[in-house]
Amino acid sequence: MSYGKRRRTGYDPASIQEYTFPIENIPRLSARDPEVYRLIQASRPVVISDSGLINSALKWNLGYLQENLGDGSFHVYGSKDNRFKYYDEKRAKQCKSFPKPVKRYEVSFNDFLKMLMEKKNTRERIYLQQMLNESVGQEIVKDYVDFNWDWVGRIQNEQGWGPLSSNLLLIGLEGNITPVHYDEQENFFSQISGYKRCLLFSPDQFENLYPHPVAHPCDRQSQVDFSKPDFERFPKFRNARAMEAIVGPGDVLYIPMYWWHQVESLKSLSPIDHKLRDFSTTTSSGSSGDIPPVTVSVNFWYRAAPLPATVKFPISAQQRVSVMRNIEKLLASALGSADEVGKLLSTMVDGRYN
Ligand SMILES: C[C@@H](CC(=O)O)C(=O)C(=O)O
Ligand SMILES: [Zn+2]
């Protein structure tokens, strides 16, 4: 069920999965429209269609990246299905029984290209997710310097955000899904090639989305699988309501801190010519032919603005999430183990606060 017409052409509408919750559109505005800055000020999502933020990267096809990304190593995730649920490596080491939802590889870009070829014929799907760092080649540095830093820097200053913490380069197969989660940073999510469907949920829907406990390796990730929701365990998921943006090349989606988001790579109608130089298309497993179609994005994560000197009541939904996180952390350390937190909270609440 979706309210209003979905914006954007260029992708195959059949690659849009239907879910159980209502969906309304995220506004899509020009950077010249003052409403953009009112929405950002109000920590509301908005798609900015002509910011020029990453125009210098619109030429980042796989051939260009192969040529210029340098010989560093890249984090590539492998999933037995199309979901790439993030988990914290360190926490996972402490939870012996935790089934890792994805495999993590550290490979060269050429090996990533080979994996793209090989995985085409196997069940495992892959997703490159790498922070841009100083190992990139000169051309990429030049493109990076040519991002529209004036525009994004002005917003960073006006909003009092902290420093840019990182830019994550994302190269994934069409059909890949990053399941719904929230981040504790402000994000200008920028689409370079292909199309992505972004489903966002406001922070006040915390109770509808049932995140894992803070101490869990999948902290900040929802336990609900949209494709097969377990309404027995997660009854309030019935109340979830989403906002949606389908972003294409040049679009920038502002994802406010603590806003839940699920990101799905759609099927592009016009396959991209990746101009891959002498890349042997017959790999060890003998699979040959073209590289499967991918989407390319880069995000801009900014540290949050410092807390206001005086707290205004009632506190915001974002502040409530932050308070709940701090209580979980405090209780886990006070009790010496995160396993006791649920029981203690029930003791505190049952029959007393409910
Ligand atoms: C990784 C990304 C989603 C995607 O592009 O798959 C995301 O969650 C973010 O930029 O915060
Ligand atoms: Zn995210």
Side-chain angles (χ1 to χ4, degrees):
M1 184 169 38
S2 144
Y3 297 143
K5 204 168 62 57
R6 267 191 186 109
R7 286 166 175 68
R8 248 233 86 122
T9 54
Y11 64 91
D12 178 355
S15 60
I16 296 263
Q17 309 210 22
E18 287 298 311
Y19 294 126
T20 56
F21 43 78
I23 298 175
E24 59 179 272
N25 285 313
I26 290 172
R28 181 188 169 77
L29 304 169
S30 158
R32 291 184 301 280
D33 185 334
E35 180 61 9
V36 164
Y37 309 97
R38 274 196 290 278
L39 287 165
I40 294 173
Q41 173 65 31
S43 296
R44 305 264 325 152
V46 56
V47 176
I48 305 108
S49 58
D50 57 359
S51 69
L53 178 57
I54 43 99
N55 279 4
S56 54
L58 292 178
K59 57 179 178 290
W60 286 8
N61 57 41
L62 292 180
Y64 182 88
L65 293 172
Q66 179 190 35
E67 204 59 40
N68 297 295
L69 258 184
D71 46 14
S73 62
F74 295 83
H75 291 150
V76 175
Y77 296 90
S79 169
K80 59 183 180 345
D81 53 26
N82 64 340
R83 289 163 52 82
F84 290 80
K85 187 170 184 176
Y86 171 80
Y87 69 90
D88 179 284
E89 197 74 49
K90 247 189 9 272
R91 295 233 185 97
K93 285 203 176 79
Q94 290 148 9
C95 295
K96 292 283 164 266
S97 58
F98 172 66
K100 290 182 180 177
V102 291
K103 271 199 279 190
R104 182 168 149 163
Y105 305 94
E106 192 80 31
V107 297
S108 71
F109 196 74
N110 249 346
D111 284 349
F112 164 62
L113 294 174
K114 288 198 181 83
M115 288 170 82
L116 272 181
M117 282 298 297
E118 280 160 12
K119 303 302 174 199
K120 208 170 64 166
N121 308 319
T122 64
R123 282 234 353 113
E124 190 177 65
R125 299 175 69 94
I126 59 171
Y127 203 166
L128 180 146
Q129 302 192 9
Q130 175 62 42
M131 304 265 180
L132 289 180
N133 56 39
E134 54 295 325
S135 72
V136 297
Q138 276 314 310
E139 288 308 304
I140 301 289
V141 172
K142 261 175 56 198
D143 299 338
Y144 187 84
V145 166
D146 288 346
F147 285 170
N148 190 348
W149 294 108
D150 289 350
W151 179 77
V152 71
R154 205 168 41 250
I155 297 170
Q156 175 192 12
N157 295 333
E158 280 161 6
Q159 297 306 319
W161 292 349
L164 175 75
S165 68
S166 57
N167 296 92
L168 192 64
L169 175 64
L170 298 143
I171 306 177
L173 288 167
E174 292 180 347
N176 281 8
I177 291 178
T178 295
V180 62
H181 67 281
Y182 66 86
D183 300 307
E184 293 184 276
Q185 298 195 72
E186 304 287 356
N187 184 356
F188 275 116
F189 182 84
S190 306
Q191 192 59 14
I192 291 171
S193 71
Y195 293 84
K196 278 183 170 176
R197 178 202 201 186
C198 304
L199 290 162
L200 272 64
F201 303 77
S202 53
D204 63 6
Q205 295 194 54
F206 183 101
E207 61 180 357
N208 301 337
L209 289 163
Y210 300 86
H212 289 273
V214 167
H216 188 280
C218 290
D219 170 28
R220 296 182 293 105
Q221 320 295 310
S222 167
Q223 300 176 80
V224 183
D225 178 347
F226 286 175
S227 59
K228 47 181 187 321
D230 179 345
F231 288 112
E232 296 290 307
R233 282 185 65 199
F234 311 121
K236 290 187 181 149
F237 179 61
R238 286 189 203 291
N239 308 329
R241 56 206 181 288
M243 296 185 78
E244 177 189 81
I246 294 176
V247 292
D251 287 341
V252 175
L253 168 63
Y254 168 50
I255 305 178
M257 182 171 73
Y258 287 124
W259 272 68
W260 298 84
H261 47 287
Q262 171 150 317
V263 182
E264 306 179 350
S265 284
L266 300 177
K267 190 173 173 348
S268 176
L269 288 180
S270 43
I272 302 145
D273 170 11
H274 283 290
K275 303 189 176 61
L276 280 169
R277 65 160 172 64
D278 66 41
F279 174 69
S280 83
T281 51
T282 14
T283 54
S284 49
S285 60
S287 58
S288 62
D290 292 339
I291 284 267
V294 296
T295 59
V296 183
S297 321
V298 64
N299 75 15
F300 292 64
W301 267 318
Y302 284 91
R303 297 235 182 281
L307 286 174
T310 47
V311 179
K312 260 188 16 225
F313 295 101
I315 61 173
S316 69
Q318 286 88 335
Q319 287 168 323
R320 297 172 86 83
V321 174
S322 177
V323 165
M324 288 189 281
R325 291 184 60 81
N326 288 335
I327 289 172
E328 285 190 52
K329 289 176 193 169
L330 177 93
L331 288 178
S333 81
L335 296 167
S337 146
D339 304 343
E340 310 289 316
V341 172
K343 191 165 172 322
L344 186 103
L345 287 170
S346 303
T347 306
M348 285 172 68
V349 170
D350 294 354
R352 301 179 64 236
Y353 282 94
N354 60 10

PDB file of all heavy atoms in Angstrom, residues 124-135:
ATOM      1  N   GLU A 124      25.524 -17.074  -2.927  1.00  0.00           N
ATOM      2  CA  GLU A 124      26.025 -15.979  -2.069  1.00  0.00           C
ATOM      3  C   GLU A 124      26.008 -14.665  -2.844  1.00  0.00           C
ATOM      4  O   GLU A 124      26.510 -14.574  -3.970  1.00  0.00           O
ATOM      5  CB  GLU A 124      27.443 -16.271  -1.576  1.00  0.00           C
ATOM      6  CG  GLU A 124      27.860 -15.262  -0.506  1.00  0.00           C
ATOM      7  CD  GLU A 124      29.241 -15.541   0.076  1.00  0.00           C
ATOM      8  OE1 GLU A 124      30.218 -15.450  -0.683  1.00  0.00           O
ATOM      9  OE2 GLU A 124      29.318 -15.864   1.272  1.00  0.00           O
ATOM     10  N   ARG A 125      25.450 -13.635  -2.227  1.00  0.00           N
ATOM     11  CA  ARG A 125      25.473 -12.297  -2.819  1.00  0.00           C
ATOM     12  C   ARG A 125      26.520 -11.473  -2.095  1.00  0.00           C
ATOM     13  O   ARG A 125      26.845 -11.749  -0.950  1.00  0.00           O
ATOM     14  CB  ARG A 125      24.099 -11.639  -2.657  1.00  0.00           C
ATOM     15  CG  ARG A 125      22.973 -12.392  -3.348  1.00  0.00           C
ATOM     16  CD  ARG A 125      21.673 -11.732  -3.032  1.00  0.00           C
ATOM     17  NE  ARG A 125      21.605 -10.442  -3.688  1.00  0.00           N
ATOM     18  CZ  ARG A 125      21.042 -10.257  -4.891  1.00  0.00           C
ATOM     19  NH1 ARG A 125      20.525 -11.296  -5.526  1.00  0.00           N
ATOM     20  NH2 ARG A 125      21.006  -9.093  -5.458  1.00  0.00           N
ATOM     21  N   ILE A 126      27.048 -10.452  -2.772  1.00  0.00           N
ATOM     22  CA  ILE A 126      28.082  -9.657  -2.094  1.00  0.00           C
ATOM     23  C   ILE A 126      27.776  -8.160  -2.156  1.00  0.00           C
ATOM     24  O   ILE A 126      26.963  -7.711  -2.952  1.00  0.00           O
ATOM     25  CB  ILE A 126      29.484  -9.933  -2.667  1.00  0.00           C
ATOM     26  CG1 ILE A 126      29.552  -9.627  -4.154  1.00  0.00           C
ATOM     27  CG2 ILE A 126      29.929 -11.346  -2.396  1.00  0.00           C
ATOM     28  CD1 ILE A 126      30.975  -9.694  -4.669  1.00  0.00           C
ATOM     29  N   TYR A 127      28.446  -7.451  -1.213  1.00  0.00           N
ATOM     30  CA  TYR A 127      28.200  -6.012  -1.060  1.00  0.00           C
ATOM     31  C   TYR A 127      29.490  -5.372  -0.559  1.00  0.00           C
ATOM     32  O   TYR A 127      29.966  -5.694   0.531  1.00  0.00           O
ATOM     33  CB  TYR A 127      27.097  -5.812  -0.024  1.00  0.00           C
ATOM     34  CG  TYR A 127      26.345  -4.517  -0.125  1.00  0.00           C
ATOM     35  CD1 TYR A 127      25.136  -4.337   0.563  1.00  0.00           C
ATOM     36  CD2 TYR A 127      26.783  -3.444  -0.888  1.00  0.00           C
ATOM     37  CE1 TYR A 127      24.412  -3.161   0.476  1.00  0.00           C
ATOM     38  CE2 TYR A 127      26.064  -2.266  -0.975  1.00  0.00           C
ATOM     39  CZ  TYR A 127      24.871  -2.138  -0.304  1.00  0.00           C
ATOM     40  OH  TYR A 127      24.143  -0.975  -0.400  1.00  0.00           O
ATOM     41  N   LEU A 128      30.123  -4.527  -1.363  1.00  0.00           N
ATOM     42  CA  LEU A 128      31.334  -3.800  -0.925  1.00  0.00           C
ATOM     43  C   LEU A 128      30.888  -2.585  -0.111  1.00  0.00           C
ATOM     44  O   LEU A 128      30.050  -1.805  -0.581  1.00  0.00           O
ATOM     45  CB  LEU A 128      32.155  -3.352  -2.131  1.00  0.00           C
ATOM     46  CG  LEU A 128      33.443  -2.577  -1.849  1.00  0.00           C
ATOM     47  CD1 LEU A 128      34.527  -2.895  -2.897  1.00  0.00           C
ATOM     48  CD2 LEU A 128      33.226  -1.061  -1.795  1.00  0.00           C
ATOM     49  N   GLN A 129      31.432  -2.472   1.107  1.00  0.00           N
ATOM     50  CA  GLN A 129      31.121  -1.319   1.961  1.00  0.00           C
ATOM     51  C   GLN A 129      32.438  -0.868   2.599  1.00  0.00           C
ATOM     52  O   GLN A 129      32.942  -1.498   3.503  1.00  0.00           O
ATOM     53  CB  GLN A 129      30.105  -1.703   3.054  1.00  0.00           C
ATOM     54  CG  GLN A 129      28.804  -2.260   2.483  1.00  0.00           C
ATOM     55  CD  GLN A 129      27.677  -2.384   3.508  1.00  0.00           C
ATOM     56  OE1 GLN A 129      27.782  -1.915   4.632  1.00  0.00           O
ATOM     57  NE2 GLN A 129      26.583  -3.017   3.121  1.00  0.00           N
ATOM     58  N   GLN A 130      33.024   0.160   2.048  1.00  0.00           N
ATOM     59  CA  GLN A 130      34.374   0.583   2.447  1.00  0.00           C
ATOM     60  C   GLN A 130      34.444   2.074   2.713  1.00  0.00           C
ATOM     61  O   GLN A 130      34.048   2.874   1.869  1.00  0.00           O
ATOM     62  CB  GLN A 130      35.364   0.211   1.339  1.00  0.00           C
ATOM     63  CG  GLN A 130      36.774   0.691   1.564  1.00  0.00           C
ATOM     64  CD  GLN A 130      37.399   0.075   2.823  1.00  0.00           C
ATOM     65  OE1 GLN A 130      37.233  -1.115   3.064  1.00  0.00           O
ATOM     66  NE2 GLN A 130      38.080   0.895   3.615  1.00  0.00           N
ATOM     67  N   MET A 131      34.982   2.434   3.870  1.00  0.00           N
ATOM     68  CA  MET A 131      35.207   3.858   4.170  1.00  0.00           C
ATOM     69  C   MET A 131      36.273   4.378   3.192  1.00  0.00           C
ATOM     70  O   MET A 131      37.314   3.735   3.028  1.00  0.00           O
ATOM     71  CB  MET A 131      35.752   4.033   5.600  1.00  0.00           C
ATOM     72  CG  MET A 131      34.899   3.429   6.675  1.00  0.00           C
ATOM     73  SD  MET A 131      33.820   4.683   7.338  1.00  0.00           S
ATOM     74  CE  MET A 131      32.933   3.698   8.568  1.00  0.00           C
ATOM     75  N   LEU A 132      36.018   5.509   2.556  1.00  0.00           N
ATOM     76  CA  LEU A 132      37.043   6.114   1.680  1.00  0.00           C
ATOM     77  C   LEU A 132      38.203   6.538   2.571  1.00  0.00           C
ATOM     78  O   LEU A 132      37.993   7.164   3.616  1.00  0.00           O
ATOM     79  CB  LEU A 132      36.458   7.317   0.931  1.00  0.00           C
ATOM     80  CG  LEU A 132      35.444   6.989  -0.174  1.00  0.00           C
ATOM     81  CD1 LEU A 132      34.948   8.285  -0.826  1.00  0.00           C
ATOM     82  CD2 LEU A 132      36.068   6.069  -1.225  1.00  0.00           C
ATOM     83  N   ASN A 133      39.426   6.121   2.186  1.00  0.00           N
ATOM     84  CA  ASN A 133      40.579   6.493   3.030  1.00  0.00           C
ATOM     85  C   ASN A 133      41.743   6.916   2.139  1.00  0.00           C
ATOM     86  O   ASN A 133      41.621   6.975   0.918  1.00  0.00           O
ATOM     87  CB  ASN A 133      40.972   5.299   3.918  1.00  0.00           C
ATOM     88  CG  ASN A 133      41.257   4.067   3.075  1.00  0.00           C
ATOM     89  OD1 ASN A 133      41.854   4.168   2.000  1.00  0.00           O
ATOM     90  ND2 ASN A 133      40.783   2.910   3.528  1.00  0.00           N
ATOM     91  N   GLU A 134      42.904   7.173   2.774  1.00  0.00           N
ATOM     92  CA  GLU A 134      44.015   7.776   2.009  1.00  0.00           C
ATOM     93  C   GLU A 134      44.632   6.780   1.020  1.00  0.00           C
ATOM     94  O   GLU A 134      45.506   7.138   0.257  1.00  0.00           O
ATOM     95  CB  GLU A 134      45.092   8.324   2.971  1.00  0.00           C
ATOM     96  CG  GLU A 134      45.646   7.363   4.006  1.00  0.00           C
ATOM     97  CD  GLU A 134      44.582   6.924   5.020  1.00  0.00           C
ATOM     98  OE1 GLU A 134      43.699   7.748   5.384  1.00  0.00           O
ATOM     99  OE2 GLU A 134      44.616   5.733   5.390  1.00  0.00           O
ATOM    100  N   SER A 135      44.148   5.544   0.994  1.00  0.00           N
ATOM    101  CA  SER A 135      44.778   4.592   0.056  1.00  0.00           C
ATOM    102  C   SER A 135      44.246   4.781  -1.369  1.00  0.00           C
ATOM    103  O   SER A 135      44.726   4.168  -2.310  1.00  0.00           O
ATOM    104  CB  SER A 135      44.490   3.158   0.512  1.00  0.00           C
ATOM    105  OG  SER A 135      43.113   2.869   0.253  1.00  0.00           O
TER     106      SER A 135
END
